[in-house]
Amino acid sequence: MYTFLLNCHSWFRWLVIINLIGILAYVWQHKKQQTVFTNQHYTLIKITNVVLTVQFIIGISLFIDSSIAKAFWQQLPESISMRQIRFFGLEHPFMMILGVGLSNYFTYKIQDKLNTKDGFTYAFKWILIIILIIFSSIPWAFSPLTSRPNFRFF
């Protein structure tokens, strides 16, 4: 089950990345045009939130089954000093919980901006914050500290 969840989590992250970058570009375009924020725009933001939440559920399932996370919490004093174990046992899950939590909060609060022109300014700010939080804690292949393959094939 762990291998299946790891593959799902690894591949689904690309949908999350594409979705976040796409919604940011979409919001930026409408912000520049000073478009009124409507229910149709809100639906696209809700879809982005659903994609993030699905990835989060896969990630939590993976975390529960992860030997790295279990090792981190069983030997906490020693594990804190080990970068890879600390990242996957504490930093990555915490930042993703924060990112998805903010996404859910933002998706709820953006409803107040329906039928206004400042909805896209508000959305752009929050989506950018969420992207920075999430992207800072993805184990990118180019990272010397927590590198993982971009695509898993097992």
Side-chain angles (χ1 to χ4, degrees):
M1 187 65 164
Y2 179 80
T3 304
F4 174 75
L5 289 172
L6 189 60
N7 276 326
C8 285
H9 195 62
S10 178
W11 282 90
F12 204 77
R13 80 170 147 177
W14 294 107
L15 181 59
V16 169
I17 290 167
I18 290 166
N19 201 297
L20 284 171
I21 292 171
I23 197 71
L24 186 69
Y26 178 81
V27 165
W28 173 254
Q29 177 186 9
H30 285 283
K31 178 184 178 298
K32 281 186 1 182
Q33 295 171 351
Q34 295 185 341
T35 309
V36 173
F37 185 73
T38 66
N39 210 22
Q40 290 175 321
H41 303 120
Y42 176 65
T43 299
L44 292 175
I45 288 175
K46 284 196 304 190
I47 290 169
T48 299
N49 190 51
V50 167
V51 169
L52 280 173
T53 303
V54 169
Q55 176 72 339
F56 177 71
I57 291 168
I58 295 168
I60 290 296
S61 302
L62 184 62
F63 182 78
I64 290 168
D65 200 25
S66 170
S67 56
I68 294 174
K70 289 175 186 170
F72 174 80
W73 290 105
Q74 287 172 353
Q75 300 169 351
L76 191 59
E78 298 87 19
S79 299
I80 288 289
S81 62
M82 295 180 217
R83 175 73 181 134
Q84 290 263 346
I85 294 175
R86 183 181 68 234
F87 179 80
F88 290 106
L90 180 67
E91 295 170 9
H92 178 70
F94 176 77
M95 294 302 281
M96 296 306 163
I97 289 168
L98 179 63
V100 173
L102 285 174
S103 176
N104 282 300
Y105 174 77
F106 155 70
T107 302
Y108 170 73
K109 291 301 282 183
I110 192 83
Q111 293 178 40
D112 298 342
K113 304 291 182 182
L114 284 171
N115 303 315
T116 66
K117 286 189 177 185
D118 63 330
F120 286 105
T121 302
Y122 183 80
F124 184 79
K125 176 184 76 169
W126 275 103
I127 292 169
L128 189 59
I129 290 168
I130 291 164
I131 284 175
L132 291 173
I133 289 169
I134 289 175
F135 281 31
S136 72
S137 290
I138 293 175
W140 300 103
F142 55 81
S143 172
L145 301 174
T146 58
S147 115
R148 289 291 189 258
N150 285 330
F151 301 97
R152 292 186 181 271
F153 297 102
F154 58 89

